Amino acid sequence: MAGPVRDVREVVPMHLVLSDASVLPVKAELSFEAADPYTVRVAFVGAHSTSTWLIGRELIAHGVLADASAPAGTGDVRIWRDEDPTYLLVSLSGVEGDALLAGPAEPFVRFIAATVALVPFGSESPRMEDEISRLIVTLLDA
């Protein structure tokens, strides 16, 4: 008998939009673990490189509802719907530069819905208690 599902995964085909408006295909591999319910790990996988970002689940949820006039996020990650609302845009800024990625919105919506079914918004904190206790023990034993 299988145990309870504790992870959510989704692979989204996207495009890296270059400064000359040309595009390169990439995959966004989204993963959510119930043991770390505030965070979504997103690996952007291209032909020759992978860049992994930790993005707040709530930021992604707000981003699927946002538009270009008020994107979700104010820091290194901003997310919003394109003028064509079937597409989602993700803007990333880091020490290596800036990137704009575009992909279908529906897989992101489906991914967030699956994470909410597993860990509803507002119920994240109790799930972190075991992890925080382990971290405290590790720090005290160091």
Side-chain angles (χ1 to χ4, degrees):
M1 175 186 271
V5 174
R6 302 197 49 84
D7 299 334
V8 177
R9 306 245 185 265
E10 185 82 38
V11 176
V12 183
M14 298 189 80
H15 290 98
L16 173 63
V17 181
L18 303 176
S19 59
D20 65 359
S22 60
V23 297
L24 295 174
V26 297
K27 290 186 301 187
E29 298 176 355
L30 290 77
S31 61
F32 170 83
E33 297 177 5
D36 186 10
Y38 292 106
T39 307
V40 173
R41 179 177 300 275
V42 185
F44 296 100
V45 181
H48 303 289
S49 65
T50 298
S51 179
T52 301
W53 288 69
L54 300 178
I55 301 175
R57 176 172 71 138
E58 193 169 311
L59 173 59
I60 297 172
H62 285 248
V64 299
L65 301 174
D67 62 26
S69 66
T74 58
D76 295 342
V77 179
R78 293 182 299 130
I79 302 172
W80 68 97
R81 293 282 183 119
D82 188 31
E83 290 175 7
D84 175 349
T86 62
Y87 286 92
L88 193 72
L89 298 174
V90 178
S91 172
L92 304 171
S93 297
V95 294
E96 296 178 4
D98 300 329
L100 178 64
L101 297 115
E106 182 53 37
F108 286 90
V109 172
R110 185 173 53 242
F111 176 82
I112 290 298
T115 71
V116 170
L118 186 58
V119 180
F121 284 116
S123 70
E124 298 94 344
S125 184
R127 294 178 173 273
M128 297 296 296
E129 290 175 7
D130 288 342
E131 181 66 21
I132 292 169
S133 295
R134 277 192 295 273
L135 287 172
I136 290 170
V137 167
T138 301
L139 288 172
L140 293 174
D141 286 345

